[in-house]
Amino acid sequence: MAADPSRTRSSVTSAVEVRRSARRSRTVSAYREGDRTIVLIPARMSEAEERRWVTVMLDKLAAQESKRVLGDNDLTERAERLSTQYLGGGARPESVRWVTNQNTRWGSCTPAEGSIRLSHRLQGMPEYVIDYVLVHELAHLLVPGHGPRFWRLLEAYPRTERARGYLEGVVAAARLPQLPVD
């Protein structure tokens, strides 16, 4: 196989660009660059090894990102970016913040005030889950209810089903009986 210095692969979250290097002998690394993930691998690696390492590095980055807690300012910036990316910039929240008094819902929105509140229980969850909840609440700034028009807006976010499944799993796990600790 010819050593292609830069090959791009599609991913659900973003583009993944694999860069092969003849100088790199054993190490593999990855980092985010905007909406892309760059994975650096040795040039001698096989296609199978490349696929395996891309998966490993994407999982590693996601784990690192899920540990980072976003502040309210970060949430506001993120909401603005998500509105632009998935809702044509039409949803413009006045405020986006974490709250500790939402234990039965993941987020809420008051369209008249333009305020979005996210449950603190989302902190530490993968970023695509937080992004889904943000897009969901941003969509409420445009469409107050959960009718067909609302769900059509959410179709723009590519990880909607995965995030909903993740949140459903969290809810289901909370209902499981707790085993006694020995």
Side-chain angles (χ1 to χ4, degrees):
M1 170 180 125
D4 184 2
S6 169
R7 191 169 51 228
T8 303
R9 296 203 189 279
S10 291
S11 169
V12 176
T13 56
S14 63
V16 175
E17 182 179 326
V18 176
R19 295 181 185 167
R20 291 175 172 268
S21 169
R23 293 188 330 198
R24 187 175 283 271
S25 61
R26 285 185 289 228
T27 61
V28 175
S29 63
Y31 61 93
R32 303 277 194 215
E33 189 175 87
D35 284 343
R36 295 181 322 150
T37 302
I38 310 299
V39 180
L40 307 170
I41 64 172
R44 63 167 175 72
M45 226 176 240
S46 70
E47 288 277 335
E49 289 174 307
E50 174 186 315
R51 283 191 301 274
R52 185 178 74 79
W53 275 106
V54 166
T55 300
V56 166
M57 297 312 288
L58 287 174
D59 290 346
K60 190 174 187 176
L61 281 174
Q64 289 170 350
E65 290 166 350
S66 72
K67 292 176 185 167
R68 189 175 61 219
V69 175
L70 301 171
D72 289 351
N73 289 339
D74 298 320
L75 281 180
T76 300
E77 289 173 14
R78 192 174 200 90
E80 290 168 1
R81 182 181 56 78
L82 291 168
S83 174
T84 299
Q85 189 172 1
Y86 299 112
L87 303 172
R92 298 176 190 263
E94 291 293 320
S95 68
V96 183
R97 61 191 174 92
W98 295 109
V99 294
T100 57
N101 64 348
Q102 288 187 1
N103 295 312
T104 59
R105 49 174 66 182
W106 299 113
S108 63
C109 173
T110 306
E113 297 174 6
S115 63
I116 292 174
R117 293 158 308 280
L118 297 185
S119 173
H120 71 286
R121 297 177 307 135
L122 289 166
Q123 293 175 339
M125 289 189 187
E127 287 191 6
Y128 74 90
V129 174
I130 296 169
D131 286 353
Y132 163 73
V133 176
L134 274 171
V135 171
H136 183 108
E137 300 309 331
L138 286 164
H140 279 308
L141 292 176
L142 304 172
V143 179
H146 287 104
R149 187 167 160 244
F150 172 83
W151 292 109
R152 276 194 301 277
L153 285 175
L154 280 182
E155 287 174 2
Y157 183 65
R159 299 185 89 179
T160 292
E161 289 305 313
R162 184 172 183 189
R164 287 174 57 96
Y166 184 98
L167 293 170
E168 288 171 7
V170 169
V171 170
R175 292 185 187 138
L176 292 174
Q178 299 298 313
L179 296 174
V181 179
D182 292 335

